[in-house]
Amino acid sequence: MSLKKSTTFTLNPVARWVNVAFLASAASTAAFSIQAQEAQDQASAEDVEIIDVVGTRRTIQDQISIKRESTTVVDGLSAEDIGDLPALSIGEALESITGAASHRENGGATEITIRGLGPFLSATHINGREATNGSGDRSVNFSQFPSELVKKVAIYKTQDASMIEGGVAGVITLETVAPLDYGKQRIQGEIKGNYNPDEGNVDNSLHSDLGFRGTISYVDQFEFSNGSALGISVGAQRQDITQPEAEYRSSSPTGSSLWACLNDPTNTNEGFFRSSAGDCEDQVSGSSNQGYNTEIDPETGEAISAGSPYAWTGSSRSYRQNETSDERDAFFLALQFQPNEAWDINTDFQYSNRLQQEARHDLIFLQKRAIPGLTGPTLVTNDVGGILHWEGQDRIESSGEQFSRDETYHGFGINVEHFATDALTLSFDLAYSKTEREELQISNRARTEDRQFFSWDMGDNIPHFTVQNLDVTDITNFYDSLRTRADRENARENEIKSAKVDFSYILDHDVFVSIEGGLRASEMTFVQLGGSQGNGSRNQWTFSPTDGASDDEEIAQAIALMESCQIAFPESGFLSTVSDGAIITHVDSDGNVVESGTGSSWATYDNNCFAQAVAASNGDNFAYPELEYENAGTIDVTERTYAGYLMANYDTEMWGKFVRGNVGVRVVNTEVTSIGFRSAFEIIEGELGTLTLVEDDSVLDRIEGGGSYTEVLPSANFVMDYSDDILLRAGIYRGMSRADPSDLGYSREFDRDDEVAPTTISDLIVGVNGSGNPDTKPLMSWNLDLAVEWYPNEDSIFAFGVYYKKFNGGFQQRTVLETFEIEGDNYDLPITNSVTTDDSSTLKGIETSIAYRWDNGVGVKFGYNFADTDYEFEDSNYGDTFITDLEGNTSQLTQGIIPPGAVPGFSEHVFSGQIYYQIGDLDTALIYKYRSEYFQPYTSNGTRLRYVDEVGVWEARASYKVNDHVRVKVEAINLFSAPKSQDYYVQGNLGEVNDYGPRLFAGVTVKY
């Protein structure tokens, strides 16, 4: 058998028809009729002149075509060639789609929200298969995938029965090239240089000022003498760039470091007006960590602290300077083999490894301490308790962290399509996806020995500090409490295996043109290793001076350590774009400004040097700890899903109009098994018959919990060709979004009654406490879309739609019974845990897309989404919280002082706009993306409120076609250095500001 390279490969007729249908709608193989396709082919053949449209205009034409031809509500982007997707990342590409917005980390788009609904309500598929991630939730970090190696991205806002379940908000799809369908040879290489102006101000120990992204890809097809054909598509990318970031930070609400401290001049026992110096949330009488008490007073039915004024204060406020490095290696491979006209076999493989590193340098002002006669009387707050001016006395730290995150993604799939007859097509698919993540961190601390007087005032964007008689640039002032920690944490592995079989049968019917059906089975596993710190392990050392050293000698040794590791402050112009001048002002006792120590820098040191020196002072070598599977902090979740669907596609004439669409139903069964570990125990009977439970921390017992549910998901989609250029569209479906894998863990410990002398196990063990609920039910919703779309020409669209979503589900603490085997017998014991409730809430919105191009080469594209919801997410610390007992009685635990958040990730307004100019070989575009404020929970504690403030970001790109083979490009994101600002607990209480600066890329693409 001979091998012949084909540069003019033509697909067989059946495969060509399937390919066109696939491009029109990945969700339906019968999105439009064969007759319509034949008419299109005939019209193309009659064209006298073919105009080759490329660049931005071609991209927008493809967007319009994807939307017009689909039977579902979908918006997408496709590229003529690999590497032509018009964005620097998948996240930035998705942001340009109407209704989509991103959460920014390190200055780039990461998690995507759809129509104001958080990432946990969306699903992401790569080549029609579920994708894993390393975050512990079900969102996907799109910065992991290079846009240069993706052919198409799309967001399906309504669904049909054939789509994998899991997206209440929508389904995000990424597609790589199927080489035979691509139909031509292409060898392409691209190199982009990266320069970030803010990085030019940083003396970066991890990276040089310049970075790059290099991509190479090859697509080809081969015909064999026996009529079979093979296609290959392969690509690789190396990225080595920086992600500069300057930060102001306050203590976060994830733990116990941010409190609503009482601000009542008549209360001298606690708060800012306490009678003796101490932490503002501590009572003078001795109890600690009190602050504003939201617990219900049974005598009044209101919070214990009801009516008391308060102000938000964290344990610290700080500045952080970062040295950064971001390295990524990516690879994809696709093989398509057609042995004859009856078979089409596709295999694909994706790989990505990303290593993010940061050297962090912090100046930390501890500030919980209240000074009588000073802190309270001088405190200035806004109307939500956010502090605007603070004065007091506490220690100051020069601290540092060395951080790295290593994340690897593998994806593999094989799909076999068999055209059994002219009417029957069978499809078989096997898939595998795996993400591994591990984080390493060094945390260093060096403090002033004495508490220092300082104050701060809120500027336009961040606070500015005034210190008295302390030069923060002098490293010899930071010699006390030297400590280093080595943490290995968030070691996660997320894996998905799946198999499915589908069929499509073309009907000889006036209304229904085909039916589809299939079965799918998948297994998702999520493992997070535990350690001495729950989700990780820690080694810790404090500075140990020489034995027998005097106090002065100990200080001298500590100062010598600091000086030996000292480095110059790594950045000039730190936070200059968000500050109102110097961030630190040094004054003497008379209030005169001292030049040394006034500015925007402080004493810094090499983190690795410091950590090794502190460990060496203890006679140890610095080393990261190990993690272990058999640990009380381990989460091990297995989720098995079995689904089947049946769907009918129709294409007919009704009321004198052509209509098409589908109706179907999907049935999904999910079983969850969760493994945990707890200390082994033994029940011992005393001489008087009393029982005692004795735990052995050196031995761990394996425990297991789980749950299951079955859901029915009907769907229907309808499209009417009202006229040649106007479409009416409707879609209705029932969607589901499962709980995050990290919330499905199983940690359990027995509660004992120590007040009595128990003689039975039932008297001894009265309940269970723990975290994680593997029996958490999914959040369900009914979703309705209505739209009208006008397509004046191939460059234009005016689309307007409305949508409505009704959720069944919320989260609440509820007491339930779980069964445990103790001494060979089963006992039903109560546990209070988070469950999905039957509460109902709604979300409604409007969505519009506009694109138009003038003859002079100028074009515009706009997308806007407005949403409104009555969904309420109560904060677990300062919101209204309730508990339901075993009898179903609900009682209020706390009376909150802050309003609830909405759906996580919910933004009321999302807008993207683009103006482009394309004439001849020049192609330019200016893009603006806006997102209003939204609630974004922390991954580490998703029960506390954190708001990300509104932000608008500008991007630009331009390219010039030198000849048929060479194109030069320049691209930029965050042109005007828009920072990200976050508020904690309530909007108006500033928590963090991240300043990234613009990112610039320039390069050349060569293709043959």
Side-chain angles (χ1 to χ4, degrees), residues 671-884:
E671 301 174 356
V672 177
T673 302
S674 187
I675 297 170
F677 297 92
R678 68 167 175 231
S679 299
F681 68 91
E682 183 180 2
I683 296 177
I684 299 175
E685 183 176 355
E687 294 182 359
L688 300 178
T690 60
L691 301 181
T692 305
L693 187 148
V694 179
E695 293 185 350
D696 182 358
D697 294 336
S698 64
V699 179
L700 293 177
D701 285 341
R702 183 181 184 272
I703 57 176
E704 185 176 302
S708 64
Y709 50 86
T710 299
E711 300 292 346
V712 179
L713 309 177
S715 62
N717 291 281
F718 173 87
V719 181
M720 173 186 286
D721 293 319
Y722 183 79
S723 65
D724 290 342
D725 54 4
I726 295 179
L727 293 183
L728 304 180
R729 191 184 299 274
I732 184 171
Y733 72 97
R734 188 170 188 246
M736 64 180 288
S737 288
R738 298 180 175 90
D740 291 338
S742 58
D743 293 333
L744 300 176
Y746 193 64
S747 173
R748 300 291 187 266
E749 294 288 346
F750 292 128
D751 286 334
R752 292 168 287 183
D753 188 347
D754 297 325
E755 301 299 323
V756 298
T759 58
T760 67
I761 291 178
S762 297
D763 292 334
L764 173 66
I765 302 176
V766 296
V768 181
N769 66 75
S771 61
N773 183 7
D775 196 30
T776 304
K777 299 301 186 284
L779 190 150
M780 307 299 299
S781 72
W782 279 101
N783 311 267
L784 173 66
D785 271 72
L786 300 172
V788 56
E789 301 164 4
W790 178 34
Y791 300 90
N793 55 57
E794 60 186 1
D795 291 299
S796 304
I797 180 176
F798 297 87
F800 178 83
V802 297
Y803 57 89
Y804 175 84
K805 296 177 181 288
K806 183 176 181 179
F807 300 98
N808 291 316
F811 301 99
Q812 186 187 88
Q813 294 292 305
R814 179 173 294 173
T815 302
V816 298
L817 291 176
E818 291 185 353
T819 302
F820 297 86
E821 182 180 330
I822 305 173
E823 300 287 303
D825 294 321
N826 290 332
Y827 293 85
D828 292 331
L829 299 174
I831 179 171
T832 302
N833 217 330
S834 177
V835 300
T836 305
T837 70
D838 295 327
D839 294 342
S840 177
S841 54
T842 62
L843 182 141
K844 49 195 173 184
I846 61 174
E847 187 174 77
T848 183
S849 298
I850 299 173
Y852 187 79
R853 181 182 181 273
W854 289 270
D855 293 338
N856 61 3
V858 176
V860 294
K861 178 181 176 292
F862 302 109
Y864 172 71
N865 183 85
F866 168 81
D868 184 45
T869 183
D870 58 5
Y871 186 98
E872 294 187 347
F873 191 110
E874 292 285 357
D875 183 83
S876 61
N877 261 4
Y878 291 106
D880 292 337
T881 61
F882 301 84
I883 188 171
T884 302

